[in-house]
Amino acid sequence: MTIIETFPTQCSDFAGKIRSLVGLPTDRLLSGLSAALGSVRDKYPLMDDDLPDGAAGGYSRHLLHSDDDGLFSVMLLVWRPGGFSPVHSHWTWCGYVVLDGTLHEDRLHWDVASKQAVVRDRIDRMPGDVVVSSPGLHDIHRLGNARQDIAVSLHVYGVSRDATMTHVNRVLPS
Ligand SMILES: [Fe+2]
C-alpha cells in the first residue's frame, strides 16, 4: 500500500482543517495551513514501500485528495535526484511540508527592470519543514532535489484537482 492509496481514507481530520480555513483572511489562512501541514508527518508517516514507482529522473506529482467542492487539492511530490521545478510564483495560496529527504529551495525576487526573477537566497528544507505562500510575485521559488536520495513533499493548493496543472504555478523567466 502506498501513501497514495492510504492517505485519502485517513485524511478526514486534515482535510476538515483545511476546509475550515478556506475563506479566511490570507494571513489567518496561511498560519492555519502552516499548522496543519506541520502535523502531517507525525500523523501519516511514510513507510518503506510507501512511494509510487516512477521514472529515474525529474519529479512526479500524485493526487492524494481533492475537496468535494473543489476548494483545494492535496498532492504528493516525489523528487528524484536532479529533479527541479521551473522558477515560478503562484496563482493561488499553497503550502508544503517535507516528508522525507532534503528539498532544495531557491528563493527569488522579481526584478522589474529586467523583467525576470533573480535569486536572493538558497535554502535546504529538511523533513518537517513547512513553507506557505500567497499568490503574487512576492513569493517566487524553485524547488528540487540536489542530493542522491529521493525527497518527498506533500503540497496543498487552493484549487480543484482539474486546475492543479494550470492554475497553481506561474512559470517565470529567470
Ligand atoms: Fe511552488
Side-chain angles (χ1 to χ4, degrees):
M1 296 282 277
T2 71
I3 189 173
I4 295 168
E5 294 163 309
T6 57
F7 189 87
T9 57
Q10 297 172 346
C11 78
S12 57
D13 275 7
F14 180 74
K17 198 175 290 184
I18 304 298
R19 274 182 72 90
S20 74
L21 300 171
V22 176
L24 291 178
T26 302
D27 58 338
R28 289 175 58 197
L29 185 156
L30 293 182
S31 64
L33 176 62
S34 181
L37 285 168
S39 70
V40 166
R41 194 158 173 266
D42 289 337
K43 278 190 163 180
Y44 312 104
L46 285 176
M47 303 300 166
D48 284 346
D49 61 350
D50 226 356
L51 296 179
D53 294 331
Y59 65 99
S60 54
R61 297 152 53 100
H62 310 270
L63 183 72
L64 293 183
H65 173 78
S66 63
D67 178 70
D68 287 344
D69 296 321
L71 300 178
F72 63 91
S73 301
V74 183
M75 300 193 80
L76 188 77
L77 270 66
V78 180
W79 306 83
R80 293 174 179 82
F84 275 82
S85 76
V87 170
H88 63 276
S89 62
H90 306 102
W91 295 111
T92 177
W93 57 266
C94 54
Y96 71 87
V97 58
V98 180
L99 298 182
D100 198 17
T102 302
L103 202 54
H104 180 84
E105 179 166 17
D106 292 337
R107 297 193 298 182
L108 302 92
H109 70 85
W110 182 248
D111 184 73
V112 174
S114 64
K115 297 183 180 178
Q116 64 180 4
V118 178
V119 174
R120 62 182 166 92
D121 60 18
R122 306 174 192 275
I123 299 175
D124 281 338
R125 305 291 190 189
M126 312 309 283
D129 284 355
V130 172
V131 176
V132 294
S133 301
S134 55
L137 290 177
H138 55 282
D139 272 336
I140 303 174
H141 69 170
R142 182 176 83 129
L143 291 174
N145 184 0
R147 306 289 179 96
Q148 292 306 307
D149 297 321
I150 280 177
V152 183
S153 52
L154 182 143
H155 298 243
V156 179
Y157 305 117
V159 298
S160 68
R161 60 185 297 167
D162 296 336
T164 54
M165 296 302 288
T166 54
H167 290 71
V168 172
N169 289 351
R170 177 181 181 178
V171 176
L172 297 167
S174 62

